[in-house]
């Protein structure tokens, strides 16, 4: 390109240097030599490769995948108030943004810049489901009006984004999010918590590891004191995703070279120094002035040309954006697929939307069938594959533990009753009251039955307490299983819970009656065909001779060790020589028989429980629930046709998410083949 100044001058091009996206052209004629700055578009052939990737990410952002927990690579523009942030964005986009005192940006402004070949720019805003066409002359006013609609006419900040689409010849292909400028002190009617509002929205956007932070710093301040630096460092300590653009270089050139080379604030992606547009300068004029400044200024010309100028900033942002998208896209694809599969699975597990009594009846029978199978596993067969980590649902093991504890409790109750210091005194007292006009060497059966009844009475409450405890545990398990299998039909759950409570009230009553029968039978008479009774009694009676020797010979020690009783004191029994031998016989008979009674009671309760639980699961539960739902006052099946609000909301949410992820899948599928064209 040849450019000349001077009327009718004869010129020849002697040299050309390309600097920062502009051309510094040396022109010679007969009289002098001059430097002429020629602007070139910010767009380059690189944009042709990044555009499809950027379009894909923009489409995903438009689909609002970020609300589904999928973060997108985003250039986030932050800076302290009056740092020159708006000026930088205007220079990149070639348009005028709102200006004024205080905070001009009160909502996240998503700027989608796109180069296109038409000489006529195409600008529009997207927000609240609307698309508003505008132009370069009215864009600032259009943004203000949209901001009023989103955030109100006050000074508050809103998290609802406003999208500005700029299709213009020569602009770089970029998508950036401009956030409110940071201010600590409320001014011009700003709310008292303005800093907290701004901090909240900035942290929301810069925290995701996919975000690229474009930190706008004024050359007139010390970088470490900037609030935007403090915020970006809090989420990006290494600076690996932070790029700094230094504005107002012409206002504070002294020491700027040292600032950007020393890097005291750890900017991993480097610095770009720029000059702000002044007054009514056109963007072309501003770029020419900027190029002249960094070329000729005695201090600023020393800064490496690879880090100065808006064209360099545009190129860096495009390259960083391309790398970030290419790096993140495979992970985004995986997340989209994973979330789609999860939501499809969730939807399949939801109940169908029932439309007839027949469908409702089928669904109801499936619930009962699944619940019965789960209960058969955990209550009858001891299979815990459905609840491997929920110990309270390992029912056969828990019931066995409760039965063992009950057996031990019975044994302990009996041991407490047997005092080693009053050995045989109960038996002697009963024998004295059982005396009659009869032969003296016959053991009165009434004495044995009296002691047996006393023993049974001493433990009579324990079986009833045990059976109540077990049924309470089983009731909790059954209700939990029923609620689990009917969770998709909450309109059924109250009826099913009520049916379960009614059923268990009956089962507890029946079991209590059965337990009392068992207790009364043990009190009624003494009988067993168990050979253990005779063998135990014979073993106990083998100690009778040594016991009677202690009774007859006072020189013998009064403490005697007896099998089954331990060491007992017997000295007090010498005064009852006429009854002591009979009392010893009764004691040994009762000891042998009482072990049989206790084992028989535990065995009877165990068999009764197993039988009752099996009857409950296989027959009674289904019958009770059906009666509750379909009896004279039951309308449970009809209620199944009324889908609960929570289920309907969940179904709609899942359908919307599935639709979104399928559209997202289509978007990313078209672009994956192009990733290999970009550097890793």
């Amino acid at each position: 390109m040849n450019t000349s100044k001077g009327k009718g001058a004869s010129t020849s091009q002697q040299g050309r240097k390309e600097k920062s996206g502009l051309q510094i052209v040396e022109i010679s004629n007969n009289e002098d030599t001059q430097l002429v700055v020629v602007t070139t578009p910010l767009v380059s052939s690189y944009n042709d490769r990044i555009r499809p990737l950027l379009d894909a990410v923009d489409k995903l952002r438009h689909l609002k995948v970020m609300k589904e927990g999928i973060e997108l690579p985003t250039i986030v523009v932050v800076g302290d108030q009056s740092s020159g942030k708006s000026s930088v964005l205007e220079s990149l986009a070639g348009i005028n943004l709102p200006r004024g005192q205080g905070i001009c940006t009160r909502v996240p402004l998503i700027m989608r810049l796109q180069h296109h070949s038409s000489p006529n720019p195409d600008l529009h805003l997207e927000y609240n489901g609307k698309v508003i066409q505008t132009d370069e002359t009215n864009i600032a006013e259009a943004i203000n009006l949209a901001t009023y609609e989103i955030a109100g006419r006050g000074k508050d900040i809103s998290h609802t984004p406003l999208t500005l689409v700029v299709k213009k010849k020569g602009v770089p292909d970029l998508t950036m999010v401009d956030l409110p400028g940071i201010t600590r002190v409320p001014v011009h009617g700003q709310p008292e918590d303005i800093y907290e509002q701004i901090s909240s929205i900035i942290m929301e956007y810069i925290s995701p590891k996919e975000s690229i932070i474009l930190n706008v710093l004024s050359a007139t301040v010390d970088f470490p004191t900037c609030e935007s630096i403090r915020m970006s460092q809090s989420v990006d300590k290494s600076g690996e995703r932070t790029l700094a653009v230094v504005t107002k270089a012409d206002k504070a050139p002294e020491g700027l070279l040292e600032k950007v080379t020393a890097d005291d604030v750890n900017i991993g992606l480097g610095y770009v120094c720029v000059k702000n547009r002044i007054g009514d300068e056109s963007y072309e004029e501003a770029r020419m002035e900027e190029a002249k400044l960094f070329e000729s200024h005695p201090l600023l010309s020393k800064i490496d040309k690879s880090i100065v100028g808006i064209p360099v900033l545009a190129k860096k942002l495009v390259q960083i954006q391309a790398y970030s998208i290419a790096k993140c896209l495979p992970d985004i694809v995986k997340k989209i697929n994973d979330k789609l599969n999860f939501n499809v699975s969730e939807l399949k597990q939801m109940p169908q939307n029932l439309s007839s009594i027949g469908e409702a009846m089928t669904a109801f029978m499936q619930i009962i069938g699944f619940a019965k199978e789960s209960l058969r596993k955990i209550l009858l067969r001891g299979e815990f594959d459905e609840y491997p980590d929920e110990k309270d649902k390992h029912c056969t093991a828990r019931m066995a533990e409760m039965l063992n504890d009950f057996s031990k409790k019975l044994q302990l109750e009996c041991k407490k009753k047997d005092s080693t210091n009053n050995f045989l005194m109960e038996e002697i007292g009963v024998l004295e009251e059982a005396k009659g006009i009869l032969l003296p060497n016959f053991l009165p059966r009434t004495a044995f039955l009296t002691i047996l009844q006393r023993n049974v009475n001493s433990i009579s409450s324990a079986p009833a307490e045990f059976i109540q405890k077990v049924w309470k545990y089983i009731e909790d398990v059954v209700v939990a299983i029923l609620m689990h299998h009917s969770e998709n039909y909450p309109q059924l759950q109250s009826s099913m819970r009520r049916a379960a409570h009614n059923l268990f009230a009956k089962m507890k009553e029946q079991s209590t009656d059965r337990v009392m029968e068992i207790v009364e039978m043990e009190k009624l008479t003494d009988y067993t065909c168990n050979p253990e009774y005779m063998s135990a009694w014979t073993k106990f009676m083998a100690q009778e001779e040594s016991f009677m020797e202690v009774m007859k010979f006072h020189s013998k020690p009064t403490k005697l060790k007896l099998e089954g009783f331990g060491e007992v004191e017997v000295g007090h029994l010498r005064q009852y020589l006429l009854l002591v031998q009979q009392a010893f016989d009764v004691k040994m008979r009762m000891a042998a028989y009482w072990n049989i009674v206790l084992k028989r009671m535990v065995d009877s309760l165990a068999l009764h429980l197993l039988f009752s639980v099996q009857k409950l699961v296989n027959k009674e539960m289904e019958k009770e629930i059906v009666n509750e739902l379909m009896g004279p006052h039951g309308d449970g099946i009809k209620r199944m046709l009324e889908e609960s609000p929570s289920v309907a909301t969940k179904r709609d949410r899942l359908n919307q998410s599935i639709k979104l992820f399928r559209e997202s899948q289509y978007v990313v599928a078209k672009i994956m083949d192009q990733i290999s064209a970009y550097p890793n």
Side-chain angles (χ1 to χ4, degrees), residues 242-278:
T242 301
L243 172 67
V245 54
V246 183
T247 63
K248 306 178 184 179
D250 55 324
K251 303 293 184 184
E254 293 81 6
L256 183 56
L257 175 60
E258 289 73 18
K259 279 185 178 182
V260 298
T261 53
D263 190 20
D264 293 332
V265 290
N266 202 22
I267 303 296
L269 295 177
Y271 295 81
V272 178
C273 302
V274 299
K275 174 186 177 297
N276 294 49
R277 187 167 65 98
I278 299 174

Side-chain angles (χ1 to χ4, degrees), residues 534-668:
M534 287 303 298
S535 62
W537 177 73
T538 302
K539 183 169 62 175
F540 289 150
M541 289 301 292
Q543 305 171 97
E544 184 182 29
E545 184 177 348
S546 58
F547 171 75
M548 291 308 297
E549 284 183 4
V550 173
M551 293 295 98
K552 293 175 182 178
F553 301 104
H554 290 200
S555 59
K556 295 277 188 180
T558 60
K559 286 192 175 181
L560 183 65
K561 191 170 184 179
L562 295 175
E563 184 178 350
F565 301 92
E567 191 176 72
V568 296
E569 174 62 46
V570 297
H572 61 283
L573 298 175
R574 286 171 175 165
Q575 58 184 310
Y576 303 103
L577 285 177
L578 293 177
L579 292 174
V580 73
Q581 190 168 6
Q582 273 192 324
F584 185 86
D585 190 359
V586 171
K587 187 74 171 179
M588 298 305 113
R589 289 174 187 271
M590 183 55 66
Y593 184 63
W594 190 240
N595 283 332
I596 300 295
V597 170
L598 295 182
K599 290 178 181 178
R600 184 162 59 201
M601 191 172 290
V602 172
D603 289 348
S604 296
L605 290 180
L607 291 173
H608 168 70
L609 276 175
L610 290 175
F611 176 76
S612 299
V613 170
Q614 187 176 58
K615 183 180 175 184
L616 167 83
V617 173
N618 290 332
K619 182 179 178 183
E620 300 297 332
M621 181 184 74
E622 181 175 352
K623 183 169 70 174
E624 190 71 31
I625 294 174
V626 169
N627 288 340
E628 177 68 31
L629 290 174
M630 304 179 66
H633 306 292
D635 58 351
I637 298 299
K638 288 183 180 178
R639 289 203 305 274
M640 291 180 70
L641 300 177
E642 304 166 5
E643 191 167 54
S644 71
S646 61
V647 173
T649 300
K650 182 179 179 181
R651 189 191 305 279
D652 289 343
R653 179 181 60 78
L654 288 173
N655 278 322
Q656 289 173 8
S657 293
I658 289 170
K659 181 175 180 291
L660 181 150
F661 287 127
R662 282 182 174 150
E663 290 178 4
S664 302
Q665 262 190 336
Y666 176 75
V667 170
V668 296

Side-chain angles (χ1 to χ4, degrees), residues 353-372:
N353 199 356
L354 307 176
S355 59
S356 68
I357 293 294
E359 288 181 351
M361 181 63 72
T362 300
F364 169 70
M365 296 310 296
Q366 286 177 340
I367 291 171
I368 296 298
F370 289 143
K372 284 174 68 173

Side-chain angles (χ1 to χ4, degrees), residues 210-233:
E210 293 83 2
S211 295
I212 301 299
I213 305 169
L214 179 59
N215 210 321
V216 181
L217 309 170
S218 172
T220 61
V221 301
D222 291 332
F223 297 165
T225 65
C226 293
E227 188 65 20
S228 62
I229 286 292
R230 188 193 66 79
M231 286 187 182
S232 63
Q233 286 181 335

Side-chain angles (χ1 to χ4, degrees), residues 13 100 102 141 238-239 250 252 300 314 348 369 387 396 402 412 475 506 573 620 640 668:
Q13 182 174 320
E141 180 61 22
S238 65
D250 55 324
L300 299 179
K348 285 181 178 178
Y387 308 97
T396 52
M402 285 188 274
L412 288 173
E475 180 180 4
K506 296 175 187 176
L573 298 175
E620 300 297 332
M640 291 180 70
V668 296

Side-chain angles (χ1 to χ4, degrees), residues 514-541:
R514 176 59 181 161
V515 166
M516 297 312 297
E517 282 183 356
I518 292 172
V519 171
E520 291 301 316
M521 284 189 291
E522 294 296 349
K523 289 163 61 176
L524 179 65
T525 188
D526 50 338
Y527 173 76
T528 182
C529 63
N530 192 330
E532 285 186 13
Y533 166 71
M534 287 303 298
S535 62
W537 177 73
T538 302
K539 183 169 62 175
F540 289 150
M541 289 301 292

